Amino acid sequence: MSKLLVTGATGELGSLTVDALLKRIDPEQVVALVRDPAKAARMAEQGVDVRRGDYFDLDSLIRAFQGVDKILLVSTVAFTNRITQHLNVIEAAKAAGVKHIVYTSIQRKPGSTLEISMITQSDEATEEALIDSGLSYTILRNSLYLDVLPFMLGSDVLERGVRMTKGDGRAVIVARSDLAEANAVVLTQSGHENRTYTLGASESVSFADIAAELSRISGKLVAFIEVSAEELAERVEAAGLPRPAADFISEWSNAVSTGEFAEITKELEGLIGHEPVSYKTFLRRAYEAYATSRH
Ligand SMILES: NC(=O)c1ccc[n+]([C@@H]2O[C@H](COP(=O)([O-])OP(=O)(O)OC[C@H]3O[C@@H](n4cnc5c(N)ncnc54)[C@H](OP(=O)(O)O)[C@@H]3O)[C@@H](O)[C@H]2O)c1
């Protein structure tokens, strides 16, 4: 019986991937790598094989990967040493006899040299290490998550408008739930060995489009107000986030503006067999409580 392991299984993308796997295969085939098994009690009750491991602890990974055929390596969090953690997973996989690693990387504009701090360099280094590892690999270059949009736009977006960097950049912003489904497809099917996919929504959207859609949902004008990267970071910091987090949001906004996430590949739609959640559907769900309270 082949075993498929998901790292970051108590995180957002990892837990959605475990749920998507449980719709396709028996729970005994699903291994969840977690730092804190107490957070994975629901999965254990469902019959998932919950194993403890920390990316910084190579031995814990080698133990957790025993008997596993394929691993989904969910890229680890920013503001940490991502390269060390990812390389440990690759090394442990080789030591434990794992055959195939699927890695969640970031979408980039073909030929782009733009760097997003703490993300693009470590993702590129991980992709290279995977390709050189001798293991089978699949690289999933994910677009910006729709799910993080409300956080990027700020809690006062309906009152103060969409204040982001230049408005003509477009992005195929994508729901985590669709990416999780794609993860499950790639893990459970053969034919994805040594392939790289760019996964985003099937249509692209600008911040100006988002403002227009928020206006429709809320029933009042939500303007798009173009700000510089510096002004954006200052606004986010003034709203209470630490400066490094504010700068991070500003960098992601700039990446949208410069078209880093603009390419429409439809590879996600091809993998999951249906249209991904659109930004309009996502925004309606996310802001519908506000809309309902006004009518
Ligand atoms: N494309 C985008 O827009 C976008 C947005 C946000 C994030 N991302 C990337 O996508 C990844 C998944 O996103 P997400 O929303 O699912 O993030 P998340 O909810 O923060 O999940 C991250 C997972 O990584 C685990 N982790 C962190 N450090 C670890 C370590 N040392 N050893 C083992 N596990 C560790 C966490 O474990 P615990 O549950 O124990 O904390 C958590 O399960 C992120 O980590 C980030 O690289 C992309």
Side-chain angles (χ1 to χ4, degrees), residues 17-50:
T17 302
V18 169
D19 289 342
L21 282 172
L22 292 176
K23 291 188 183 139
R24 290 174 166 75
I25 53 174
D26 290 337
E28 311 86 72
Q29 286 182 268
V30 182
V31 183
L33 184 85
V34 303
R35 286 193 287 191
D36 177 6
K39 281 170 72 179
R42 180 185 61 85
M43 284 177 203
E45 277 164 23
Q46 289 173 297
V48 171
D49 183 355
V50 175

Short mmCIF file of all heavy atoms in Angstrom, two decimals, residues 17-50:
data_model
loop_
_atom_site.label_atom_id
_atom_site.label_comp_id
_atom_site.label_asym_id
_atom_site.label_seq_id
_atom_site.Cartn_x
_atom_site.Cartn_y
_atom_site.Cartn_z
N THR A 17 -5.24 19.91 2.02
CA THR A 17 -4.73 18.83 1.16
C THR A 17 -5.05 17.47 1.78
O THR A 17 -5.47 16.54 1.07
CB THR A 17 -3.21 18.98 0.96
OG1 THR A 17 -2.95 20.27 0.37
CG2 THR A 17 -2.67 17.89 0.04
N VAL A 18 -4.89 17.35 3.09
CA VAL A 18 -5.25 16.09 3.75
C VAL A 18 -6.74 15.80 3.51
O VAL A 18 -7.13 14.69 3.15
CB VAL A 18 -4.92 16.13 5.27
CG1 VAL A 18 -5.54 14.95 6.00
CG2 VAL A 18 -3.42 16.16 5.48
N ASP A 19 -7.59 16.82 3.67
CA ASP A 19 -9.03 16.63 3.42
C ASP A 19 -9.28 16.18 1.98
O ASP A 19 -10.10 15.29 1.73
CB ASP A 19 -9.81 17.94 3.67
CG ASP A 19 -9.88 18.29 5.15
OD1 ASP A 19 -9.64 17.39 5.99
OD2 ASP A 19 -10.16 19.46 5.47
N ALA A 20 -8.56 16.79 1.03
CA ALA A 20 -8.75 16.42 -0.38
C ALA A 20 -8.26 14.99 -0.64
O ALA A 20 -8.87 14.26 -1.43
CB ALA A 20 -8.01 17.41 -1.28
N LEU A 21 -7.22 14.59 0.04
CA LEU A 21 -6.72 13.21 -0.12
C LEU A 21 -7.73 12.21 0.43
O LEU A 21 -7.96 11.14 -0.15
CB LEU A 21 -5.38 13.03 0.61
CG LEU A 21 -4.15 13.59 -0.09
CD1 LEU A 21 -2.93 13.51 0.83
CD2 LEU A 21 -3.88 12.84 -1.40
N LEU A 22 -8.35 12.57 1.57
CA LEU A 22 -9.30 11.64 2.21
C LEU A 22 -10.52 11.39 1.33
O LEU A 22 -11.23 10.40 1.51
CB LEU A 22 -9.72 12.16 3.59
CG LEU A 22 -8.60 12.16 4.64
CD1 LEU A 22 -9.06 12.78 5.95
CD2 LEU A 22 -8.08 10.75 4.88
N LYS A 23 -10.78 12.31 0.37
CA LYS A 23 -11.89 12.09 -0.58
C LYS A 23 -11.46 11.11 -1.67
O LYS A 23 -12.29 10.64 -2.44
CB LYS A 23 -12.30 13.41 -1.23
CG LYS A 23 -12.97 14.35 -0.25
CD LYS A 23 -13.53 15.55 -0.98
CE LYS A 23 -14.14 16.52 0.03
NZ LYS A 23 -13.84 17.91 -0.28
N ARG A 24 -10.18 10.83 -1.78
CA ARG A 24 -9.68 10.00 -2.89
C ARG A 24 -9.12 8.66 -2.47
O ARG A 24 -9.19 7.69 -3.24
CB ARG A 24 -8.58 10.76 -3.64
CG ARG A 24 -9.08 11.94 -4.42
CD ARG A 24 -7.94 12.74 -5.02
NE ARG A 24 -8.47 13.66 -6.03
CZ ARG A 24 -9.13 14.76 -5.72
NH1 ARG A 24 -9.31 15.11 -4.47
NH2 ARG A 24 -9.63 15.53 -6.69
N ILE A 25 -8.49 8.60 -1.30
CA ILE A 25 -7.82 7.35 -0.91
C ILE A 25 -8.13 7.02 0.56
O ILE A 25 -8.68 7.86 1.29
CB ILE A 25 -6.28 7.43 -1.09
CG1 ILE A 25 -5.71 8.66 -0.38
CG2 ILE A 25 -5.90 7.44 -2.57
CD1 ILE A 25 -4.20 8.75 -0.39
N ASP A 26 -7.76 5.80 0.97
CA ASP A 26 -8.02 5.38 2.35
C ASP A 26 -7.18 6.18 3.33
O ASP A 26 -6.01 6.49 3.04
CB ASP A 26 -7.67 3.90 2.52
CG ASP A 26 -8.64 3.02 1.77
OD1 ASP A 26 -9.77 3.48 1.53
OD2 ASP A 26 -8.26 1.88 1.43
N PRO A 27 -7.74 6.47 4.51
CA PRO A 27 -6.98 7.26 5.49
C PRO A 27 -5.64 6.61 5.87
O PRO A 27 -4.68 7.33 6.14
CB PRO A 27 -7.91 7.31 6.71
CG PRO A 27 -9.22 6.78 6.29
CD PRO A 27 -9.11 6.17 4.94
N GLU A 28 -5.58 5.27 5.86
CA GLU A 28 -4.30 4.62 6.26
C GLU A 28 -3.17 4.95 5.29
O GLU A 28 -2.00 4.76 5.63
CB GLU A 28 -4.43 3.10 6.33
CG GLU A 28 -5.61 2.55 7.10
CD GLU A 28 -6.84 2.45 6.20
OE1 GLU A 28 -6.85 1.58 5.33
OE2 GLU A 28 -7.77 3.26 6.39
N GLN A 29 -3.54 5.41 4.10
CA GLN A 29 -2.49 5.75 3.12
C GLN A 29 -1.98 7.17 3.30
O GLN A 29 -1.01 7.56 2.66
CB GLN A 29 -3.05 5.63 1.69
CG GLN A 29 -3.24 4.21 1.22
CD GLN A 29 -3.75 4.24 -0.22
OE1 GLN A 29 -4.95 4.24 -0.46
NE2 GLN A 29 -2.83 4.29 -1.17
N VAL A 30 -2.66 7.93 4.15
CA VAL A 30 -2.31 9.35 4.30
C VAL A 30 -1.49 9.54 5.57
O VAL A 30 -1.90 9.14 6.66
CB VAL A 30 -3.58 10.23 4.37
CG1 VAL A 30 -3.20 11.71 4.50
CG2 VAL A 30 -4.48 9.98 3.18
N VAL A 31 -0.30 10.13 5.41
CA VAL A 31 0.55 10.43 6.56
C VAL A 31 0.61 11.94 6.71
O VAL A 31 0.86 12.65 5.73
CB VAL A 31 1.98 9.86 6.37
CG1 VAL A 31 2.81 10.12 7.62
CG2 VAL A 31 1.94 8.37 6.03
N ALA A 32 0.36 12.42 7.94
CA ALA A 32 0.40 13.87 8.20
C ALA A 32 1.64 14.17 9.04
O ALA A 32 1.77 13.65 10.14
CB ALA A 32 -0.86 14.30 8.94
N LEU A 33 2.54 15.01 8.50
CA LEU A 33 3.69 15.43 9.29
C LEU A 33 3.31 16.69 10.06
O LEU A 33 2.90 17.69 9.44
CB LEU A 33 4.90 15.72 8.40
CG LEU A 33 6.15 16.07 9.22
CD1 LEU A 33 6.88 14.79 9.64
CD2 LEU A 33 7.10 16.98 8.46
N VAL A 34 3.46 16.62 11.38
CA VAL A 34 3.06 17.76 12.21
C VAL A 34 4.13 18.01 13.28
O VAL A 34 4.86 17.10 13.65
CB VAL A 34 1.70 17.51 12.91
CG1 VAL A 34 0.61 17.21 11.87
CG2 VAL A 34 1.77 16.39 13.93
N ARG A 35 4.16 19.26 13.76
CA ARG A 35 5.06 19.53 14.88
C ARG A 35 4.39 19.18 16.20
O ARG A 35 5.04 18.77 17.14
CB ARG A 35 5.43 21.02 14.89
CG ARG A 35 6.40 21.39 13.81
CD ARG A 35 6.98 22.74 14.02
NE ARG A 35 6.02 23.83 13.75
CZ ARG A 35 6.36 25.07 13.68
NH1 ARG A 35 7.61 25.44 13.91
NH2 ARG A 35 5.46 26.01 13.41
N ASP A 36 3.07 19.36 16.21
CA ASP A 36 2.34 19.15 17.46
C ASP A 36 1.14 18.22 17.20
O ASP A 36 0.10 18.66 16.71
CB ASP A 36 1.85 20.52 17.97
CG ASP A 36 1.02 20.39 19.24
OD1 ASP A 36 0.91 19.27 19.77
OD2 ASP A 36 0.48 21.43 19.69
N PRO A 37 1.30 16.92 17.53
CA PRO A 37 0.21 15.97 17.23
C PRO A 37 -1.12 16.35 17.89
O PRO A 37 -2.18 15.99 17.36
CB PRO A 37 0.75 14.64 17.80
CG PRO A 37 2.23 14.80 17.78
CD PRO A 37 2.49 16.25 18.07
N ALA A 38 -1.08 17.11 18.97
CA ALA A 38 -2.34 17.50 19.62
C ALA A 38 -3.20 18.33 18.65
O ALA A 38 -4.44 18.27 18.69
CB ALA A 38 -2.05 18.31 20.88
N LYS A 39 -2.54 19.09 17.77
CA LYS A 39 -3.29 19.92 16.80
C LYS A 39 -3.89 19.07 15.68
O LYS A 39 -4.68 19.57 14.87
CB LYS A 39 -2.35 20.97 16.18
CG LYS A 39 -2.12 22.17 17.09
CD LYS A 39 -1.03 23.09 16.57
CE LYS A 39 -1.41 23.88 15.35
NZ LYS A 39 -0.31 24.78 14.91
N ALA A 40 -3.46 17.78 15.61
CA ALA A 40 -3.93 16.92 14.52
C ALA A 40 -4.86 15.82 15.04
O ALA A 40 -5.03 14.78 14.40
CB ALA A 40 -2.74 16.29 13.80
N ALA A 41 -5.48 16.07 16.20
CA ALA A 41 -6.33 15.03 16.81
C ALA A 41 -7.47 14.62 15.88
O ALA A 41 -7.80 13.44 15.75
CB ALA A 41 -6.88 15.54 18.14
N ARG A 42 -8.07 15.60 15.18
CA ARG A 42 -9.19 15.29 14.28
C ARG A 42 -8.73 14.36 13.15
O ARG A 42 -9.40 13.39 12.81
CB ARG A 42 -9.76 16.59 13.69
CG ARG A 42 -10.93 16.38 12.75
CD ARG A 42 -11.39 17.69 12.10
NE ARG A 42 -10.36 18.33 11.31
CZ ARG A 42 -10.10 18.05 10.02
NH1 ARG A 42 -10.79 17.13 9.39
NH2 ARG A 42 -9.14 18.69 9.37
N MET A 43 -7.55 14.62 12.63
CA MET A 43 -7.02 13.76 11.55
C MET A 43 -6.77 12.35 12.07
O MET A 43 -7.08 11.36 11.39
CB MET A 43 -5.70 14.31 11.02
CG MET A 43 -5.85 15.50 10.13
SD MET A 43 -4.21 16.10 9.64
CE MET A 43 -4.67 17.78 9.24
N ALA A 44 -6.19 12.26 13.26
CA ALA A 44 -5.90 10.93 13.82
C ALA A 44 -7.22 10.16 13.99
O ALA A 44 -7.29 8.96 13.69
CB ALA A 44 -5.18 11.08 15.15
N GLU A 45 -8.26 10.87 14.45
CA GLU A 45 -9.58 10.21 14.61
C GLU A 45 -10.12 9.71 13.28
O GLU A 45 -10.83 8.71 13.21
CB GLU A 45 -10.60 11.20 15.20
CG GLU A 45 -10.53 11.31 16.71
CD GLU A 45 -11.25 12.56 17.21
OE1 GLU A 45 -12.14 13.07 16.49
OE2 GLU A 45 -10.90 13.02 18.31
N GLN A 46 -9.78 10.40 12.21
CA GLN A 46 -10.24 9.99 10.87
C GLN A 46 -9.42 8.82 10.32
O GLN A 46 -9.69 8.33 9.23
CB GLN A 46 -10.15 11.17 9.89
CG GLN A 46 -11.17 12.26 10.14
CD GLN A 46 -10.91 13.48 9.26
OE1 GLN A 46 -9.87 14.13 9.36
NE2 GLN A 46 -11.83 13.79 8.37
N GLY A 47 -8.37 8.43 11.06
CA GLY A 47 -7.56 7.28 10.63
C GLY A 47 -6.27 7.67 9.92
O GLY A 47 -5.53 6.80 9.45
N VAL A 48 -5.98 8.97 9.87
CA VAL A 48 -4.73 9.43 9.24
C VAL A 48 -3.56 9.06 10.16
O VAL A 48 -3.67 9.11 11.39
CB VAL A 48 -4.79 10.96 9.02
CG1 VAL A 48 -3.45 11.51 8.57
CG2 VAL A 48 -5.90 11.31 8.02
N ASP A 49 -2.46 8.68 9.54
CA ASP A 49 -1.24 8.31 10.27
C ASP A 49 -0.49 9.62 10.60
O ASP A 49 0.19 10.18 9.75
CB ASP A 49 -0.43 7.39 9.34
CG ASP A 49 0.84 6.87 9.97
OD1 ASP A 49 1.17 7.29 11.09
OD2 ASP A 49 1.51 6.05 9.31
N VAL A 50 -0.66 10.09 11.82
CA VAL A 50 -0.06 11.37 12.21
C VAL A 50 1.33 11.11 12.78
O VAL A 50 1.49 10.32 13.70
CB VAL A 50 -0.95 12.09 13.26
CG1 VAL A 50 -0.26 13.37 13.77
CG2 VAL A 50 -2.33 12.43 12.67
#
